[in-house]
Amino acid sequence: MAEDRSPEPAADVCVVGAGPAGAIVAARLAEAGHDVVVLDAGPRFDLDDRTAQLDAHLRPGGEASGTPRGGGDAAGSLWGMGGPRDAYTSSGSKEYPLNAARVKGIGGSTLHWQGMVMRLHERDFELQSRHGVGVDWPIDYADLRPYYAEAERELGVAGAADNPFAPPREEPHPLPAFPPSHSDSIFAEACEALELPMHSVPNARNSEPYDDASACVGYGTCKPVCPSGAKYTAERHVARAEAAGARVIDRAPVQLLDHDASGERIEAAVYATPDGEEHRQAARAVVLACGGVENVRLLLLSASDAHPDGLANSSGLVGRYFVDHCFAGVGGRVDRPTRQNHVGFNTSECHALYDGEDPLQGVKLEFLNYAGPSPVIEALNADDWGDSLLDTLRESYGTHLAVGALVEQFPREENRITLDPSTTDDHGNPVPDVRWSVGPETRQAIERVNEVQRAILAELDAEVDWVVGPDETGPAFHHMGTTRMGTDPAESVVAPDCRAHDCDNLWIAGSSVFPTGGAMNPTLTIAALSCRLATRLDRWL
Amino acid sequence: MNLSRRDALAALAAAGVVGVAGATVLGDEGSADAAVPADTLATLVAVAEAVFPSEATGIEPFVETYVAGRVADDPAHREGVNAAAADLDATAHDWRDASLVDLDRSARDQLLRDLSVDVADPDPDGNLAAQVRFYLVNELLYAFYASPTGGRLVGIENPVGYPGGTESYQRASMEDEDG
C-alpha cells in the first residue's frame, strides 16, 4: 500500500525539514499537545541498512576512497544526495561541494555529521562591540545559556567541565566525556611546552547508553554513518515527535509557502509527492528548518506580489552573509606508534586561540584520532596483495598525527545564496547558487593557525607531510548566516525570537539565523535555539 | 597468526550482515551454509591463500564462515560469487591446464596478475578481472583486514568497520590477543 502523504486537516504547526533544527521543535511542540506536521524533501532511511552503508562506505568507490576531508560531491552519495532533486551551482571564487555538505531526509545532516557539540563563546555574540567586526547578535550568551543546557540533554552530550576557555556552565554534561586517546597524550607534551592547554571534546555520542540508544562500540566510521546508533541523529527527535502524535511525511519537498491576501500570514506549505501530485498543508504557524541553503531557496521561490523579492525579504538580506568555517590542518609522522583510526571521533581539542586577537578570527584546534590511512581501506584500493601488501600496510599505518582547526569567517555581504534560473531541479524550480569565497583576512588567519600547528608537530620532531593552508582550505559544511537574526527589520530577516520580521506566523530554525558563526561546530547552538523557539512558539500558539 | 570463526563473524558484522551471531546463517555447529557450492568454496580458499599474507593460518574455516554468511540472504551476490569463481577456474584450465586449486600459491598469484586483477577496479558488472576483484579478491581482503586478527598483523586490533569498543584507542600498544 502506498504511504499516505496527504495533508493533515487541522495542523497547528507545519515544520519544513526533519533535521535537528526542525525535529527538536516538532518533538517539543507535539509533546506540548500541538498538532504538528513535518515535511521533508528526502526519504526515511532504514536503521537496518546502516551496516550495509558502512560496507559501501569502506569499499572502493565509496566515500572513504576519496580525499581525507571534503571528498567532493561523491561523498554525499551514501545518503542519496545528488541528481536532479539536489542540483545546484557554485559561482563563487571558491568551489562549494554542496551535496557533500548536507543530507536530505529524516534526520537531515545529522545522519552524516561527526557530532561535535560545543557552546559558542561569549565573544561570539559581541563581535562588533568588542572588535568592530561583523555584527552583534541581538541576544547574548546569558540568554542562550539555559537553552544550551537543555540542548545538551536533548542531544545526550558526553563532555567534561575541563575546558578553561569555555563559557560558564551551570551543570555537568549529561554523559561523561570520552577519555583522551593515546595520540592525545603524545600531543599533550608538545602543547604543554607551547602553552596550549588541551581539554575534552563535547560529543553528541553516547559514552554510556542514553536515550534508549547504545553506547559507542567503536566502528570508526562516525562520519558518514554510525551503525550502532550511539551517535545522535535527529531521527531520535522525529521518533519522539511521532510518539507524541506528530505526522511526519517524507519525500515531500516543499515548493513554496503560500500567504494570505495581506501577505502577512502564511496559509499553507505547498509540497510535492512522489506520485506527481501537489498538496497544501495549512497550519497556524510554519517553522522553516531546511538548512542555510534551502531555507533561502524556499523563501525566494515563494516570491509574490506582496513579497516581490521573496518571502520575508524586505531587508533584501535573505541569502546574504553566507558563512562557513574554514578547515586548516597540518599532518605528519613521528617515530612512535600513534594508534589512529580506532574510532572516528576526536577526544581532545584546544580553545586557547579562540578569544584572542592573533588572529582575531575564532580558532578551534582539533587533535585528530584518525590521521593517516586505515589499513582495510588501503588494502581494498591497493594494486597488490599477499605479503607485499602487508609490508605496504605496515609501512603506511601507525605513526601518523594531525592537528586540524576550524577558522572563523566574518560575514561578507557578497557571499550569498541566490536562485540560478538557468538550472532547474526535478520540479522545475531554479536551483540554489552558492557564492562562497575566502577573504584575505581569513587567509591570513589560516596562515597563522598553520604556524601554530607546525609548531606543535615540530615539538614532536614530526616529519610534516601535508598542510591545508589558505589555498587548500575548504568548508566544514556549516551553513550559517543567510537569514540573520536582529532587531532592525532593515538589517535582519528574523527577530530575536526567530520569527520573520515580515510574516506573523513564519519562524526560522537552524544556523541560517546566526548573525555570525564563530568557529564552533554549530549544531549545539542550533539545538539551543530550537529549544528556545519551541518555548516561544508554544506560548504564541 | 590463526584466523578464527570469531574473526569471520567480526568481518561479517562489518560487511553489514546482521544476525550472524545467531543461528540464522550458521548451523548449530558453526558449519557453513550449504548454499555455497563446494567448488566455489575451494576456489575462494585458493584465492585467499594467494592474497592473504603467508603467515595467515586457519584460512579454510574462516573463508567458509565468512562467505556463507555473506551470501546467505543475498542471492544476487551469491550468484556473482559463484560465477566469478567458476570463470576464474575456467581461465586457470585454459591458461594453465589445471584447476586453480591445483596450482601452487605463486602460480595462483601469477594467474591473477596475468588477468590484471591487481590493477582492475572492482566492478560487479565489469570484465572478468573486475568481477574477480569485486566478488573474490576484495571480498576476501575486506574480510581479512576488517577482522581483529588481520588488523593485528598491521598493528591495529580494532580496525575501521569492526565494532571493537572504545578502550583500544586509549592504549599505547596492542593488548595480547587474549587480553
Side-chain angles (χ1 to χ4, degrees), chain B residues 151-162:
Chain B
R152 275 178 178 280
L153 276 187
V154 187
I156 179 167
E157 69 276 40
N158 183 13
V160 165
Y162 172 65

Side-chain angles (χ1 to χ4, degrees), chain A residues 48 51-52 54-60 178-184 207 216-221 337-343 345 347 369 374-377 379-390 393-394 397, chain B residues 13-18 50-55 66 70 105 109 112-113 117-119 122 133-134 137-139 141-142 145-146 153-166 168-175:
Chain A
D48 290 340
T51 41
L54 177 154
D55 180 84
H57 162 63
L58 295 182
R59 290 181 193 254
F178 285 91
S181 64
H182 172 64
S183 54
D184 291 339
S207 56
C216 175
V217 296
Y219 274 106
T221 58
T338 55
R339 308 277 291 160
Q340 297 295 283
N341 284 305
H342 290 239
V343 291
F345 59 93
T347 40
N369 285 334
S374 152
V376 61
I377 295 167
L380 296 177
N381 286 282
D383 52 11
D384 204 356
W385 49 61
D387 289 336
S388 56
L389 172 62
L390 178 60
L393 299 179
R394 282 174 168 162
Y397 175 76
Chain B
V17 179
V18 293
V51 303
F52 287 179
S54 54
E55 60 190 279
Y66 177 79
R70 188 79 171 88
R105 182 188 172 108
D109 176 286
L112 290 168
R113 292 181 197 276
V117 175
D118 51 343
V119 294
R133 179 83 197 202
F134 181 87
V137 172
N138 268 19
E139 202 61 64
L141 290 175
Y142 186 93
Y145 285 108
L153 276 187
V154 187
I156 179 167
E157 69 276 40
N158 183 13
V160 165
Y162 172 65
T166 54
S168 67
Y169 81 85
Q170 303 172 46
R171 290 196 285 263
S173 59
M174 283 193 292
E175 277 195 330

Side-chain angles (χ1 to χ4, degrees), chain B residues 17-107:
Chain B
V17 179
V18 293
V20 291
T24 54
V25 171
L26 304 167
D28 290 342
E29 289 80 39
S31 60
D33 191 291
V36 184
D39 50 353
T40 296
L41 273 178
T43 300
L44 278 160
V45 170
V47 174
E49 287 169 353
V51 303
F52 287 179
S54 54
E55 60 190 279
T57 56
I59 290 176
E60 189 166 341
F62 174 83
V63 170
E64 283 184 11
T65 304
Y66 177 79
V67 174
R70 188 79 171 88
V71 304
D73 294 323
D74 192 344
H77 191 78
R78 179 166 57 229
E79 185 55 39
V81 171
N82 286 338
D87 289 348
L88 177 62
D89 197 46
T91 303
H93 280 285
D94 288 348
W95 292 9
R96 301 287 193 271
D97 211 17
S99 180
L100 190 75
V101 298
D102 292 330
L103 299 175
D104 66 21
R105 182 188 172 108
S106 67

